[in-house]
Amino acid sequence: MLVPLQGLLPLEGESHDAWPPGPHSFEYPGLFGTTWINKPLLQAVIAALLLIVFWLAASRKVNILPSKGQFAVEYIYDFVRNGIARDLLGRDYKKFLPFLLMIFTWTLVNNWFGELFVFMLPTFSKIGYAYALAVLAWVVYVGAGFQRHGLHYLKLQLIPEGVPWYLYPMIIPLEFLSNFIVRPITLALRLFANMFAGHLVVMVFVVGGEILLRTQGNLLYNISGVVSIVFSFAVLFLELFIGALQAYIFTVLSAQYISSSIADAH
């Protein structure tokens, strides 16, 4: 029986005895005697705790002449503030900056867990976590709209300016689906699909490389296996970039939706 290479197979189940890979490779059993505490949940909590400690430590000693560490922290902060929040939200950006900073950094850390050999799993490759984050963004931008406009927010979102009244029966359902249903679904699916697909590619190269390496009597297969395993590490580095890009895209779209909610015209 073939056994996956220890520590290299990023999407295998918690047991190395489950072979060949299949749907069970994406299932993580409960920990600590529970059915609901599993590896993705622990990663989400660990990421939150790491960021709390990180930002508290970074804000304790702030000097006019920043150290290298302070400069790095300020770069992250300025990137979200100037490159996302202020550009998209204008004068209202300060109110939503903590939320956008949280979204970006927490998504980034959870995405990069897929490239750390201690974890080897991007949290958002589990669809439920992507949906939960999208629902949180939905609550924020819809809540911001109602706070700014009251019930008039519904009219702004459902009836585009200049549309004749006789088109309302067709336009209102479409606008409702687009603004209140499709947005959070596409937010979640975009994040999930990229994290899942990238990690699946790594798994294919690792598992395929192992099978080729274990093929006896065929030197060409063995060499191809080594190439496949090496290439899987190249894909891991590519996933670092994709993880950062998806965190940025999710944050930008969240800011864009908030901006559309608090705008005076649809």
Side-chain angles (χ1 to χ4, degrees):
M1 177 181 293
L2 296 177
V3 180
L5 292 173
Q6 298 288 329
L8 281 180
L9 187 55
L11 278 180
E12 88 275 25
E14 296 301 311
S15 172
H16 291 287
D17 297 327
W19 186 268
H24 59 270
S25 302
F26 303 93
E27 297 174 359
Y28 290 83
L31 303 174
F32 310 116
T34 69
T35 58
W36 59 276
I37 300 178
N38 55 20
K39 183 177 180 180
L41 177 60
L42 284 181
Q43 290 186 183
V45 173
I46 290 172
L49 293 176
L50 287 175
L51 288 173
I52 290 173
V53 173
F54 173 80
W55 288 112
L56 286 177
S59 62
R60 289 188 63 183
K61 292 183 178 181
V62 179
N63 301 315
I64 297 178
L65 183 61
S67 62
K68 292 182 180 179
Q70 182 181 331
F71 177 81
V73 173
E74 289 180 353
Y75 180 83
I76 298 173
Y77 176 82
D78 289 342
F79 176 76
V80 177
R81 184 191 66 179
N82 300 333
I84 300 177
R86 193 165 64 181
D87 285 353
L88 294 175
L89 299 175
R91 66 178 185 275
D92 298 309
Y93 80 93
K94 290 184 179 180
K95 182 187 299 185
F96 301 100
L97 179 57
F99 169 73
L100 295 175
L101 187 63
M102 179 276 294
I103 285 285
F104 177 75
T105 54
W106 191 66
T107 306
L108 179 64
V109 171
N110 278 287
N111 287 349
W112 279 358
F113 276 158
E115 284 65 63
L116 297 179
F117 289 97
V118 176
F119 301 99
M120 292 307 298
L121 175 74
T123 307
F124 294 111
S125 65
K126 305 292 286 186
I127 186 63
Y129 293 89
Y131 277 135
L133 191 60
V135 168
L136 177 60
W138 182 89
V139 169
V140 171
Y141 74 74
V142 170
F146 278 112
Q147 184 182 42
R148 173 63 64 87
H149 303 291
L151 292 178
H152 183 62
Y153 170 67
L154 290 176
K155 180 180 179 181
L156 292 173
Q157 294 296 306
L158 299 179
I159 305 177
E161 189 175 355
V163 174
W165 64 268
Y166 53 83
L167 291 179
Y168 287 178
M170 180 178 65
I171 293 298
I172 290 177
L174 292 176
E175 290 293 310
F176 177 81
L177 287 173
S178 174
N179 295 327
F180 294 99
I181 305 298
V182 174
R183 280 182 176 181
I185 291 177
T186 54
L187 265 179
L189 290 180
R190 183 182 294 106
L191 179 61
F192 159 74
N194 280 278
M195 293 299 98
F196 180 86
H199 221 51
L200 189 61
V201 169
V202 177
M203 180 183 182
V204 168
F205 279 106
V206 172
V207 175
E210 180 182 3
I211 293 174
L212 292 171
L213 280 173
R214 292 176 180 272
T215 302
Q216 298 180 359
N218 195 316
L219 181 60
L220 180 60
Y221 281 7
N222 298 150
I223 295 175
S224 299
V226 173
V227 173
S228 180
I229 295 295
V230 172
F231 191 75
S232 70
F233 286 93
V235 176
L236 279 176
F237 285 107
L238 176 62
E239 284 299 296
L240 286 172
F241 169 74
I242 294 176
L245 180 62
Q246 289 306 311
Y248 172 75
I249 292 174
F250 194 99
T251 309
V252 166
L253 290 176
S254 298
Q256 181 62 52
Y257 295 158
I258 294 172
S259 176
S260 66
S261 292
I262 63 179
D264 293 328
H266 181 48

